[in-house]
């Protein structure tokens, strides 16, 4: 049978092109997802700031808890969302360890050099201040000037000094702490061989200034250790661990220093594992579904050949083995090519995620043979499984019935296929009911896409029934609109329901998948935006790139007519094992600036010892007004606050509302992200802008400008998911074209016969367009119905409303794109198939 399989591959290269293309794309997709997953698991985080020391001591940057399940105890860990700080007492303990030449404490805090117009030279994520005593950790050395020793003195890295157009002796404005301040540049420093660190601008302060601006008295961000010459590094590290036993401090060496320097990259690893796993799982399911459909169409086109083999004595097992080996050969070649081709999409995805801010560029893409090998193996498995499933019915036909069965399409589905289709449809309904109960994105997203795929499985299995029903409805309409070409199109579609189903399945999957990916984002962001819009009653909002300093908020409070000034800051906190988005707000008068739509209690009771929670958080943690809620802040510090209100608008404002002072004490960047200004009707923009004269980087926005900024931010966040799932949409689109080209190209003898009996070439092409139009309409109806039902369930769970938000223009673009692909993939091969003499075409082999 292997010999026969190879001969078949040589003789029917065209028949395997469709399966080959589908498998190449599947392997590329799996490789790209596998590379992202491996990066999350084993990706290296580049070391910059701590390159000069071989050992770094930090606080534990993870939250740990014990989980009991089925009599087993497991310790779970998750990265903290903010930097955890180390008790400075650890420095004294380390200085007593023998074998250490130097113990260098490190302070790290947000510090932005501002231009004359108040613009920050660097983004919020890569501008940091340090004490000069820690310059040795890189090491930074002076190129000009001297070290800062007095208050108001700083040293800039060489690149930052160049961009700020300042030299030794000049002054710059630096925003660090509560208000921007003027500092004198007394030195310019750089690491060896460079002008600056690649991913962070560096400002060094005098030690006393650094401790004040860091805002963590009695704590340090980390400690760098230098082993004395002649001392054994292993022995010294063991002594360091002994000295720190019981403190929770972590001793980091080698590549483990990277996460200590870039905590955001360590957090991104977890995100990338989740994203890569979800994307990879969805990709694999879509790939299997598409490949099965492609092989099914290929086997359908070979029914006469398989029937002949059965008629001359081939057993069902031999037929299955032959087709399985054909698939293995095709899968091996396609898998190898697709695996290497997937490296390009992997780099592109990583680059896009970095550009959108979803990943820090310090987390390098890791490429190893593992994703490639996995892609080849999974492609082989998918090809073999798809071939065996597709040939099952053809191989079981009795030899005496084989040729007749090949010539005539069975009017009924097999029992097993019908049962499978009904089971998939019931599973889809069950998942819809489950989806209605899921109220957080991490829970609902994978279920949403699994729901769509299960609907596609049901469509594929029950496709001929759906095709016959759809064609029966559309056929009469098409026949009346076009008495000749339309009549032929309706008859052809009705007689070849399996072929129509093979085309409808990937096309409806493309419509459903694209609509679901696009409109889950718009549904959630629209609901959040509407809640934020309805719940914000402030007339004006202050914003700035590096954050609004506290001094700017104080200046606005002095403006006549201003009654309430609310500083707003966002982060993530945990209550037990559950992670919640939270906002910190100024308690005084907050109920006049924000309407969170409280269901019980009052936001006016917010103080530095209380918290308000959303209905989701209240339900998840089982708390209500008057209860105590223990919260783990972003830096790992635990606080206990009393619940004073339960509100509805958690999607727009976060699930916990805490006092601003409590939030600011536990985040890396304590400057307010926005300041809401409320007052009398006499308050206008002009006096607010005058009050910001000392803060030129702070902008005053009215309500319309705030809404536009919020929409822009929501669009940027949605782009990450669009890009993540874009490859799946592209793969599904390729599958649509692939299937349609295969189905159309295989009909050249049919087209030739129509020409021989008197149908013109123009009428055949018109018939083909009518068929394609009917198929597109049927696929659009099925795909839209699946997407609408899925999105409605998603919307009920996420927003509490059964009205998903789908912009009409975007939805129309999806349908036009699907229809355009279908028409191009049928009309072009149709024109090619009609070339040549019809009589000669009839004499060609199938």
């Amino acid at each position: 049978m292997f010999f026969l399989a190879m001969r078949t591959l040589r003789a029917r290269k065209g028949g395997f092109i469709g399966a080959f293309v589908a498998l190449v794309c599947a392997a590329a997709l799996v490789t790209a997802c596998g590379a992202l997953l491996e990066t999350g698991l084993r990706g290296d985080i580049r070391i910059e700031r701590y390159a000069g020391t071989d050992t770094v001591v930090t606080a534990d940057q993870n939250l740990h808890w014990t989980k009991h399940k089925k009599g087993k105890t497991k310790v779970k860990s998750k990265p903290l969302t903010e930097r955890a700080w180390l008790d400075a007492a650890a420095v004294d303990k380390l200085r007593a360890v023998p074998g250490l030449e130097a113990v260098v404490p490190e302070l790290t805090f947000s510090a932005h050099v501002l231009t004359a117009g108040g613009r920050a030279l660097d983004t919020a994520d890569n501008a940091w201040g340090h004490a000069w005593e820690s310059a040795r950790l890189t090491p930074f050395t002076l190129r000009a000037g001297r070290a800062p020793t007095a208050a108001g003195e700083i040293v800039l890295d060489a690149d930052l000094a160049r961009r700020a157009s300042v030299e030794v002796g000049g002054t710059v404005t630096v925003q660090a702490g509560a208000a921007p301040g003027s500092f004198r540049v007394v030195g310019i420093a750089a690491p060896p061989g460079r002008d600056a660190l690649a991913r962070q601008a560096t400002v060094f302060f005098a030690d006393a200034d650094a401790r004040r601006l860091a805002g963590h008295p009695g704590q340090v961000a980390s400690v760098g250790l230098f082993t004395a010459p002649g001392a054994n590094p292993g022995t010294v590290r063991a002594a360091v661990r002994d000295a720190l036993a019981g403190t929770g401090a972590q001793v980091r060496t080698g590549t483990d220093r990277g996460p200590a320097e870039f905590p955001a990259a360590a957090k991104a690893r977890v995100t990338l594992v989740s994203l890569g796993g979800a994307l990879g799982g969805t990709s694999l399911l879509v790939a299997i579904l598409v490949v099965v459909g492609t092989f099914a169409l290929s086997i359908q086109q070979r029914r006469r050949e398989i029937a002949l083999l059965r008629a001359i004595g081939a057993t069902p097992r031999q037929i299955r083995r032959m087709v399985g080996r054909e698939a293995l050969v095709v899968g091996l070649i396609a898998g190898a090519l697709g695996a290497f081709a997937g490296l390009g999409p992997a780099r592109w995805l990583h680059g896009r995620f970095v550009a959108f801010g979803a990943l820090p560029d310090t987390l390098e893409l890791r490429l190893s043979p593992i994703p490639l090998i996995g892609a080849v193996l999974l492609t082989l498995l998918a090809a073999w499984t798809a071939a065996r499933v597709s040939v099952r019915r053809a191989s079981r036909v009795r030899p005496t019935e084989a040729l007749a069965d090949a010539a005539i399409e069975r009017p009924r589905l097999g029992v097993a296929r019908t049962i499978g289709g009904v089971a998939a449809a019931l599973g889809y309904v069950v998942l819809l009911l489950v989806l209605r109960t899921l109220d957080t994105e991490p829970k609902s997203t994978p279920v949403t896409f699994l729901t769509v795929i299960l609907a596609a499985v049901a469509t594929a299995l029950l496709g001929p029934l759906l095709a016959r029903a759809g064609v029966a409805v559309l056929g009469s309409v098409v026949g009346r609109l076009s008495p000749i070409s339309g009549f032929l199109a309706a008859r052809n579609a009705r007689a070849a329901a399996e072929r129509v189903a093979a085309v409808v399945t990937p096309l409806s999957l493309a419509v459903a998948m694209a609509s679901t990916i696009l409109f889950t984002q718009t549904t959630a962001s629209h609901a959040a935006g509407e809640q934020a819009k309805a719940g914000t009653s402030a007339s004006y909002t202050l914003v700035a790139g590096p954050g609004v300093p506290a001094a700017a908020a104080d200046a606005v409070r002095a403006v006549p007519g201003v009654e309430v000034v609310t500083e707003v800051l966002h982060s993530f906190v945990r209550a037990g094992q559950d992670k919640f988005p939270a906002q910190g707000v100024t308690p005084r008068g907050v109920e006049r600036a924000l309407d969170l739509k409280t269901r019980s209690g009052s936001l006016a009771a917010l103080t530095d010892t209380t918290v308000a929670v959303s209905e989701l958080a209240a339900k998840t943690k089982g708390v209500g007004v008057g209860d105590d809620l223990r919260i783990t802040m972003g830096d790992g510090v635990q606080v206990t606050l009393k619940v004073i209100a339960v509100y509805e608008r958690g999607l727009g404002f976060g699930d916990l509302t805490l006092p601003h002072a409590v939030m600011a004490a536990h985040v890396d960047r304590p400057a307010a992200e926005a300041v809401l200004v409320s007052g009398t009707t006499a308050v206008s923009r002009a006096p607010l802008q005058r009050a910001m004269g000392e803060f030129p980087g702070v902008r005053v926005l009215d309500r319309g400008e705030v809404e536009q900024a919020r929409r822009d931010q929501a669009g940027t966040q949605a782009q990450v998911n669009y890009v993540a799932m874009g490859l799946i949409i592209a793969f599904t689109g390729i599958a649509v074209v692939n299937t349609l080209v295969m189905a159309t190209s295989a009909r050249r003898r049919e087209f030739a016969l129509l020409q021989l009996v008197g149908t013109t070439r123009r009428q055949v092409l018109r018939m083909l367009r009518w068929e394609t139009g009917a198929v597109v309409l049927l696929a659009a109806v099925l795909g839209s119905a699946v997407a609408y039902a899925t999105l409605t369930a998603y919307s009920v769970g996420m927003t509490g409303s059964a009205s998903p938000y789908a912009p009409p223009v975007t939805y129309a673009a999806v349908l036009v794109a699907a229809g355009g692909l279908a028409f191009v993939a049928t009309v072009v091969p149709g024109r090619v198939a009609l070339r040549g003499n019809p009589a000669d075409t009839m004499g060609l082999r199938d």
Side-chain angles (χ1 to χ4, degrees):
M1 276 298 159
F2 183 77
F3 172 77
L4 185 57
M6 295 304 295
R7 292 293 299 269
T8 303
L9 287 174
R10 292 193 192 99
R12 299 183 60 94
K13 296 184 183 70
F16 289 95
I17 289 177
F20 180 81
V21 171
L23 290 169
V24 167
C25 294
L29 201 57
V30 172
T31 297
C33 298
L36 293 180
L37 184 60
E38 186 181 19
T39 298
L41 292 171
R42 304 197 301 147
D44 292 331
I45 300 174
R46 299 173 193 157
I47 301 167
E48 289 188 353
R49 178 82 179 102
Y50 299 145
T53 176
D54 57 359
T55 305
V56 177
V57 177
T58 69
D60 190 349
Q61 301 296 322
N62 293 282
L63 177 66
H64 307 278
W65 68 87
T66 302
K67 187 175 182 179
H68 302 279
K69 187 176 181 180
K70 296 181 179 180
K72 297 182 180 179
T73 301
K74 292 184 179 180
V75 177
K76 308 286 286 186
S77 300
K78 290 290 183 181
L80 296 171
T81 54
E82 308 286 346
R83 185 189 302 274
W85 285 65
L86 187 65
D87 193 326
V91 178
D92 297 329
K93 292 183 179 181
L94 291 170
R95 285 178 175 148
V97 174
L100 287 177
E101 176 190 3
V103 176
V104 181
E106 163 79 316
L107 298 173
T108 300
F109 52 93
S110 180
H112 291 269
V113 175
L114 306 180
T115 65
R119 180 181 62 86
L121 289 175
D122 297 280
T123 64
D125 294 328
N126 64 352
W128 301 103
H130 308 278
W132 175 252
E133 67 176 329
S134 64
R136 181 181 179 183
L137 297 177
T138 303
F140 271 86
T141 56
L142 287 167
R143 286 191 180 177
R146 61 174 176 82
T149 57
E153 295 182 345
I154 60 172
V155 169
L156 301 180
D157 70 57
D159 179 67
L160 185 54
R162 177 186 58 79
R163 290 186 287 123
S165 300
V166 64
E167 297 179 350
V168 174
T171 60
V172 294
T173 301
V174 179
Q175 180 169 320
S182 181
F183 290 82
R184 187 163 68 92
V185 179
V186 298
I188 295 176
R194 294 174 290 171
D195 287 341
L197 299 177
R199 290 167 182 81
Q200 48 190 308
T202 308
V203 183
F204 288 107
F205 296 81
D207 295 346
D209 271 355
R211 285 192 290 272
R212 175 178 58 83
L213 295 173
H216 287 266
Q219 294 180 308
V220 294
S222 62
V223 183
L225 305 182
F226 293 84
T227 305
N232 185 292
T235 302
V236 173
R237 288 170 192 156
V240 167
R241 291 188 176 91
D242 290 340
L244 297 174
T247 66
Q250 296 179 332
V251 181
R252 300 172 180 266
T253 60
T255 58
D256 199 29
R257 291 171 294 165
E261 183 176 353
F262 298 106
K267 292 181 289 185
R269 275 179 166 173
V270 178
T271 302
L272 203 54
V273 169
S274 301
L275 182 63
L279 182 60
T282 305
S283 302
L284 191 58
L285 290 173
V286 171
I288 291 174
L289 184 62
V290 167
V291 171
V292 167
T294 304
F295 265 102
L297 185 58
S298 176
I299 295 298
Q300 182 184 342
Q301 293 171 358
R302 295 175 57 192
R303 285 191 303 171
R304 291 180 55 158
E305 171 191 325
I306 295 173
L308 181 60
L309 290 173
R310 289 287 290 124
I312 62 175
T315 66
R317 183 181 179 186
Q318 288 174 323
I319 297 294
R320 290 194 296 269
R321 289 174 62 186
M322 178 192 73
V323 174
R325 288 172 182 178
E326 292 171 359
L328 288 176
V329 174
V330 174
L332 181 61
I333 300 172
L337 291 175
F340 283 100
L343 297 178
R347 293 189 181 93
W348 181 80
L349 275 175
H350 182 266
R352 290 294 83 203
F353 291 156
V354 170
F356 293 144
L359 292 179
D361 61 357
T362 50
L363 181 57
E364 297 178 333
L365 179 67
R366 187 178 184 94
L367 297 176
S368 76
I370 296 176
L372 280 74
I373 295 172
V376 173
L377 293 177
L378 289 172
T379 302
L380 283 173
L381 179 61
W384 183 84
T385 303
R388 294 294 290 252
V389 169
S390 302
V391 79
R392 181 175 176 273
R393 173 179 167 268
S395 66
R396 294 178 63 184
V397 178
R398 296 176 182 176
T400 55
E401 302 173 357
L403 289 173
D405 183 72
I408 302 173
E409 187 173 287
R410 292 195 310 174
R412 295 181 181 178
L413 294 180
V415 175
R417 183 171 180 175
T418 303
I419 293 175
V422 172
L426 291 175
Y428 170 70
V429 173
V430 171
L431 285 183
L432 286 179
L433 297 176
V434 172
L435 192 57
R436 293 172 64 92
T437 66
L438 302 179
D439 46 20
T440 61
E441 190 170 351
K443 295 178 181 178
S444 62
T445 298
V447 178
T448 301
F449 296 123
L450 181 60
T451 303
V452 174
I453 292 172
L454 200 57
V457 172
T459 302
L461 292 174
L462 302 177
L465 294 178
L466 298 173
R468 290 190 185 99
V471 169
V473 174
L474 297 174
S476 59
V477 177
V478 171
R480 284 195 295 269
L481 292 174
S482 177
I484 297 177
S485 299
F487 173 79
L488 290 174
R491 290 292 183 178
N492 264 325
R494 192 173 301 172
E498 287 193 13
R499 186 188 69 218
V500 173
V503 174
V504 166
T505 297
L507 194 57
S508 62
L509 175 62
V511 172
M513 186 66 74
S515 298
T516 303
I517 291 171
L518 292 171
F519 302 140
T520 51
Q521 301 301 314
T522 58
T523 297
S525 62
H526 177 74
E530 289 299 303
Q531 286 188 11
K533 180 180 178 180
T536 303
S537 53
S539 302
Y540 295 96
T541 301
L542 309 182
V543 297
V548 181
D554 292 336
V556 169
R557 289 187 176 97
V559 174
V562 172
E563 297 176 337
V564 176
V565 176
T566 306
E567 297 168 88
V568 181
L569 187 61
H570 293 91
S571 183
F572 286 90
V573 301
R574 287 186 181 273
Q577 304 171 15
D578 301 297
K579 183 178 178 182
F580 296 104
Q583 64 173 354
V585 299
T586 309
R588 182 176 177 273
V590 64
E591 71 281 1
R592 294 187 56 185
L594 296 175
D595 177 13
L596 304 186
K597 204 170 184 179
T598 55
R599 292 306 185 191
S600 58
S602 173
L603 200 61
L606 187 67
T607 66
D608 287 347
T609 59
T610 61
V611 63
V613 299
S614 70
E615 291 178 323
L616 170 62
K619 181 180 69 173
T620 302
K621 304 311 299 179
V623 295
V625 174
D627 294 333
D628 288 335
L629 181 62
R630 190 168 183 79
I631 300 169
T632 302
M633 304 302 294
D635 61 354
V637 176
Q638 292 188 336
V639 297
T640 300
L641 303 175
K642 186 177 293 294
V643 177
I644 48 88
V646 177
Y647 55 87
E648 181 180 324
R649 291 175 172 151
L651 199 59
F653 293 97
D655 290 312
L656 273 73
T657 298
L658 294 83
H660 177 268
V662 174
M663 178 77 79
H666 301 285
V667 297
D668 296 339
R669 302 173 188 84
E673 297 170 12
V675 175
L676 308 180
V677 181
S678 303
T680 64
T681 56
V683 176
S684 63
R685 176 178 290 189
L688 297 178
Q689 290 177 328
R690 286 194 296 271
M692 293 297 99
E694 298 181 8
F695 312 96
V698 179
R699 295 180 296 147
V700 181
L701 306 181
D702 60 25
R703 292 177 65 88
E705 292 168 329
V706 169
E707 289 306 312
Q708 183 59 49
R710 185 181 290 122
R711 284 193 294 269
D712 292 342
Q713 183 180 13
T716 300
Q717 293 172 345
Q719 283 179 330
V720 175
N721 287 325
Y722 293 158
V723 169
M725 304 303 293
L727 288 181
I728 297 178
I729 296 177
F731 175 46
T732 309
I734 292 172
V736 169
V737 174
N738 192 26
T739 304
L740 287 167
V741 169
M742 288 176 61
T744 305
S745 300
R747 299 174 63 187
R748 53 184 178 169
R749 294 185 65 188
E750 174 192 330
F751 297 156
L753 179 60
L754 286 171
Q755 287 179 285
L756 289 175
V757 298
T759 310
T760 66
R761 185 172 182 271
R762 186 176 180 180
Q763 287 174 328
V764 173
L765 286 174
R766 192 177 297 146
M767 175 199 75
L768 194 57
R769 285 194 291 269
W770 278 113
E771 281 187 35
T772 304
V775 167
V776 169
L777 183 58
L778 180 58
V781 170
L782 288 174
S784 299
V786 168
Y788 180 76
T790 305
L791 290 167
T792 300
Y794 171 85
S795 181
V796 169
M798 284 292 294
T799 71
S801 169
S803 300
Y805 180 71
V809 174
T810 307
Y811 175 64
V814 171
L815 296 183
V816 169
L821 284 176
F823 276 97
V824 170
T826 52
V827 172
V828 172
R831 288 182 178 275
V832 173
L834 285 168
R835 289 178 181 175
N837 189 296
D840 294 337
T841 301
M842 288 297 296
L844 297 174
R845 292 182 305 170
D846 274 346

